[in-house]
Amino acid sequence: MAAGDMASTRLGAGRQHLRPLKRRGLVLLRLTAIVFAVLLFCEFLIYYLVIFRCSWPAVKTPADAGGLGTPEPVLRVMFLADSHLLGAVRGHWLDKLRREWQMERAFQTALWLLQPEVVFILGDIFDEGKWSSSQAWADDVGRFWKIFRHPPHVQLRAVAGNHDIGFHYQMNTYKIKRFEKVFNPERLFSWKGINFCVPGTQSPADCTGGPWLISCPCLSFVMVNSVALEGDGCDICSGAEAELLEISHRLNCSREQEHRPQECGDGQRLPASAPILLQHFPLYRRNDANCSGEDAAPPDEKYTPFKERYDVLSQEASRKLLWWLRPRLVLSGHTHSACEVLHGAGVLEVSVPSFSWRNRNNPSFIMGSITPTEYALAKCYLPCEDTVLTTYCTAAGGLVLLTLVHAGLVASPFHFGWNMLRKFKTT
């Protein structure tokens, strides 16, 4: 055989040897691309696709009704509850990683898409705050600020839950101060909206400065430590009730300042509009039998009687809050399920579901458009955990099938279907 023929034979054999390697490389590249695409969808894109469907509810203002004057400022608020960040005792590392990543992506995506001005978290931020050590608490707080980081122009406020400071028999001053050091101790949060001063309608003392603008408080939120409303006269409970009575006095003075000038003095006035009450425990209700919706309590739990001072506030504490504060809206957490209840003279209470996959397959949060006189609420659902798990399982099955087809252990579904079609035609 000539030398040229031998060289050609060797070259052809080398090319035939490289073909399987090239095919394996292409298959590996395809598998890697599929894995990357599934991860990108399940861990990032799905949050944008789901939350993008949410929008702020429209709220009626006097200008919408044909009234005169400047439109009222509308405050955009997010309400979420029961994040239950796992601690050092009961928190498995994989559970922490999965659920905290879900909450971080959901919160950061909501901030970017919806642009709220204020965020309220209605208790049970942590799962083990009731017994965590100082070091464990510091670690949990650090993880919280990483998950719920926000730009400076967004205000974040929180109320304490039983998992943050313990139930009444576990609660103490140290745990409360520790929580308040992180989340601000204020009980009354007033949002300042910009009002235009119209010459001739207000005194010069009220309208000072160049462009005839003043900033005055327009909205009030009362944040209650509902764990302290046990009603047994303990020092912490008595202090909490005294604070609420003081807030009640200030609210009443703002509502009736023209009729009670001597009793109210010259202190700073609060908004004359009714406040919004925020707390962890719901006001008293027998059970969740009248709650409806896809994120309400399961049917086997709806008729379970609630225990006062454990599942809900006592009837006495609920009556006091409604009487003292006369709120126009109440928002609470604790049950991990959604519910809407009317109290007294038509005061709506909304129980906000849990924000975490650890407590719900379909977590959500509440979006509120609020003015001094009106409010409108809407619910924004987050991706369902079973949707993500199903996507992963389907992708894993497809990868296994693709690998088996490439290895020749399973016939290609396309060729198998084509052969079946040919056999059917020939018969």
Side-chain angles (χ1 to χ4, degrees), residues 330-403:
V330 182
L331 292 112
S332 59
H334 189 56
T335 64
H336 300 172
S337 300
C339 191
E340 294 186 5
V341 184
L342 288 177
H343 296 281
V347 177
L348 175 66
E349 177 182 8
V350 177
S351 289
V352 181
S354 175
F355 193 69
S356 173
W357 274 347
R358 187 168 180 261
N359 302 315
R360 298 198 59 81
N361 174 56
N362 58 340
S364 62
F365 60 89
I366 298 295
M367 305 165 59
S369 300
I370 305 172
T371 72
T373 56
E374 300 288 342
Y375 66 84
L377 304 178
K379 186 173 294 181
C380 183
Y381 286 96
L382 306 180
C384 294
E385 185 175 28
D386 59 6
T387 301
V388 175
L389 294 178
T390 301
T391 304
Y392 274 128
C393 291
T394 303
L399 290 174
V400 171
L401 180 61
L402 186 61
T403 304

Side-chain angles (χ1 to χ4, degrees), residues 103-119:
M103 288 189 287
E104 180 177 355
R105 293 316 318 149
F107 185 75
Q108 296 304 321
T109 304
L111 282 186
W112 190 79
L113 289 177
L114 302 175
Q115 300 289 312
E117 296 167 278
V118 184
V119 178

Side-chain angles (χ1 to χ4, degrees), residues 33 37 72 127 140 155 164 223 242-243 285 324 386 399 406:
E72 292 178 313
D127 194 62
D140 293 345
Q155 299 200 44
D164 300 316
M223 296 176 286
E243 284 184 339
R285 61 177 184 261
W324 289 345
D386 59 6
L399 290 174
H406 173 71

Side-chain angles (χ1 to χ4, degrees), residues 186-248:
E186 64 185 357
R187 295 282 179 264
L188 186 65
F189 173 68
S190 293
W191 177 262
K192 291 184 178 295
I194 300 297
N195 284 352
F196 286 93
C197 287
V198 181
T201 61
Q202 295 185 347
S203 65
D206 294 325
C207 277
T208 58
W212 297 94
L213 283 172
I214 61 168
S215 179
C216 69
C218 294
L219 301 169
S220 286
F221 300 85
V222 180
M223 296 176 286
V224 175
N225 177 6
S226 51
V227 183
L229 299 182
E230 187 78 5
D232 63 349
C234 73
D235 290 342
I236 295 176
C237 301
S238 298
E241 290 200 3
E243 284 184 339
L244 290 173
L245 283 172
E246 173 62 24
I247 292 173
S248 173

Side-chain angles (χ1 to χ4, degrees), residues 39-118:
L39 285 173
L40 182 65
F41 174 78
C42 291
E43 304 302 332
F44 288 95
L45 296 182
I46 192 172
Y47 294 97
Y48 289 92
L49 294 174
V50 173
I51 298 177
F52 181 76
R53 298 179 298 178
C54 303
S55 59
W56 292 101
V59 60
K60 293 182 179 180
T61 64
D64 297 330
L68 300 177
T70 304
E72 292 178 313
V74 178
L75 178 66
R76 292 180 171 181
V77 188
M78 277 177 57
F79 302 97
L80 54 98
D82 296 276
S83 53
H84 282 272
L85 270 68
L86 292 173
V89 178
R90 300 194 304 184
H92 188 275
W93 69 269
L94 183 59
D95 196 7
K96 282 184 181 180
L97 177 66
R98 186 78 198 111
R99 273 54 189 271
E100 291 182 9
W101 175 257
Q102 170 258 325
M103 288 189 287
E104 180 177 355
R105 293 316 318 149
F107 185 75
Q108 296 304 321
T109 304
L111 282 186
W112 190 79
L113 289 177
L114 302 175
Q115 300 289 312
E117 296 167 278
V118 184

Side-chain angles (χ1 to χ4, degrees), residues 127-148:
D127 194 62
E128 300 178 10
K130 54 188 177 182
W131 61 50
S132 61
S133 64
S134 298
Q135 183 58 50
W137 172 263
D139 293 341
D140 293 345
V141 169
R143 286 175 19 245
F144 169 85
W145 288 121
K146 176 181 178 295
I147 295 169
F148 294 97

